[in-house]
Amino acid sequence: SAVISQKPSRDICQRGTSLTIQCQVDSQVTMMFWYRQQPGQSLTLIATANQGSEATYESGFVIDKFPISRPNLTFSTLTVSNMSPEDSSIYLCSGQGKETQYFGPGTRLLVL
Amino acid sequence: AQTVTQSQPEMSVQEAETVTLSCTYDTSESDYYLFWYKQPPSRQMILVIRQEAYKQQNATENRFSVNFQKAAKSFSLKISDSQLGDAAMYFCAYRSALNSGGSNYKLTFGKGTLLTVNP
């Protein structure tokens, strides 16, 4: 299985600020994705991180709010911009292996 | 658009007994993948089992097996000889088998079933 790491594992932030989450995957991964899991809810795809180009966002998510970079095959960042308490969630990075999608441990974000 | 429904928000089972978690899905596609993921309190999503829609044989992984009914669009997970470590949130997920772009690799999740294992 693929190894995926994320940092930070958790953070508490003030509203109006921004947080950048980093994701590192191993070489078995081709596609990379970012999901949001709101408290007590299921996972919702934010975007597909494309290497060297703009991410592909799902309906309801925009680049200005969630800018994503993927400068190379194994690294991606998600920024949560101009945060509000509604952004308090777990943010998970995932990577598509040959047949299975693997997940990082998640970043738990609390916005005060 | 595909949807995944888990009708059991919570389930409980006695240690060493068997429990079945339900999942139904809706799709117009004929080829796809179905997954069960486990999310313990540590929140690390762990793949439990995978089923390819073109395979009629139900997938099994040790104590975990599925009952895949393609016509009924049903994909239930059976956990045998339940252990305390099986306690977690279980998510059913769908993925298209079409390879026409990155978005077709996205997973669509159900709302999850919280499984409690009683000693």
Side-chain angles (χ1 to χ4, degrees), chain A residues 28-48:
Chain A
Q28 298 180 55
V29 164
T30 53
M31 312 293 296
M32 291 182 71
F33 305 90
W34 287 97
Y35 288 83
R36 181 175 72 181
Q37 187 177 21
Q38 294 178 301
Q41 301 296 314
S42 185
L43 282 74
T44 301
L45 181 65
I46 298 172
T48 303

Side-chain angles (χ1 to χ4, degrees), chain A residues 9 42 58 99-101 103, chain B residues 37 43-44 50 106 110:
Chain A
S9 61
S42 185
E58 297 296 304
E99 291 181 332
T100 300
Q101 199 163 126
F103 286 82
Chain B
Y37 281 89
R43 76 175 179 266
Q44 174 83 52
R50 178 184 68 241
K106 79 172 189 180

Side-chain angles (χ1 to χ4, degrees), chain B residues 18-22 36 48-51 57-68 75-81:
Chain B
T18 296
V19 64
T20 298
L21 308 184
S22 301
W36 279 99
V48 175
I49 200 164
R50 178 184 68 241
Q51 175 80 44
Q57 185 173 7
N58 289 323
T60 63
E61 286 289 343
N62 301 314
R63 298 182 294 107
F64 299 88
S65 61
V66 298
N67 183 4
F68 173 48
F75 182 61
S76 61
L77 174 70
K78 185 171 82 171
I79 306 173
S80 304
D81 186 25

Side-chain angles (χ1 to χ4, degrees), chain B residues 61-110:
Chain B
E61 286 289 343
N62 301 314
R63 298 182 294 107
F64 299 88
S65 61
V66 298
N67 183 4
F68 173 48
Q69 301 290 329
K70 191 172 185 179
K73 297 181 181 175
S74 171
F75 182 61
S76 61
L77 174 70
K78 185 171 82 171
I79 306 173
S80 304
D81 186 25
S82 296
Q83 300 176 0
L84 295 177
D86 295 333
M89 181 71 85
Y90 286 80
F91 292 99
C92 178
Y94 172 101
R95 199 207 100 191
S96 172
L98 295 174
N99 291 329
S100 59
S103 63
N104 283 329
Y105 284 93
K106 79 172 189 180
L107 293 172
T108 300
F109 287 89

